[in-house]
Amino acid sequence: AAGMAAPTMEERKACWGARDEFWQCLDSHGDDAAKCEKLRRAFESRCPQQWVKHFDKRRDFLKYKRKLETEGYHPPEAAGKS
């Protein structure tokens, strides 16, 4: 059951730090994961497996949200009523 205990504050900080570095790398390389492999491994080794899954989903969600904010949400045209 190793790794199932709640991470200490230090461990959480290490995990978040690794995640932030990894995400920054992805941001600066247009999400080219291959260029950030070392940081990805650090992220995975410093964070509980569950967290890695959670953060991956979160990043996808944030990217999607940012895309909506940049490109805007385009609702289907209302049928010519103004």
Side-chain angles (χ1 to χ4, degrees):
M4 286 315 289
T8 63
M9 194 59 213
E10 284 307 298
E11 288 169 331
R12 286 202 296 270
K13 277 198 191 124
C15 169
W16 293 332
R19 174 203 62 189
D20 291 346
E21 281 178 25
F22 173 55
W23 282 12
Q24 271 170 353
C25 178
L26 287 176
D27 286 342
S28 60
H29 290 103
D31 274 338
D32 182 351
K35 291 209 168 69
C36 306
E37 216 173 310
K38 273 215 300 270
L39 291 171
R40 171 80 198 183
R41 282 202 295 272
F43 167 51
E44 287 180 353
S45 69
R46 289 195 191 130
C47 299
Q49 184 67 54
Q50 282 307 108
W51 291 27
V52 171
K53 285 201 189 95
H54 168 76
F55 287 139
D56 283 346
K57 281 204 194 85
R58 176 125 187 91
R59 181 168 169 87
D60 286 342
F61 171 73
L62 291 171
K63 273 198 329 214
Y64 172 70
K65 223 179 96 174
R66 199 176 324 151
K67 190 172 133 109
L68 285 184
E69 282 162 7
T70 344
E71 300 171 16
Y73 170 67
H74 302 296
E77 286 300 306
K81 293 198 179 77
S82 50

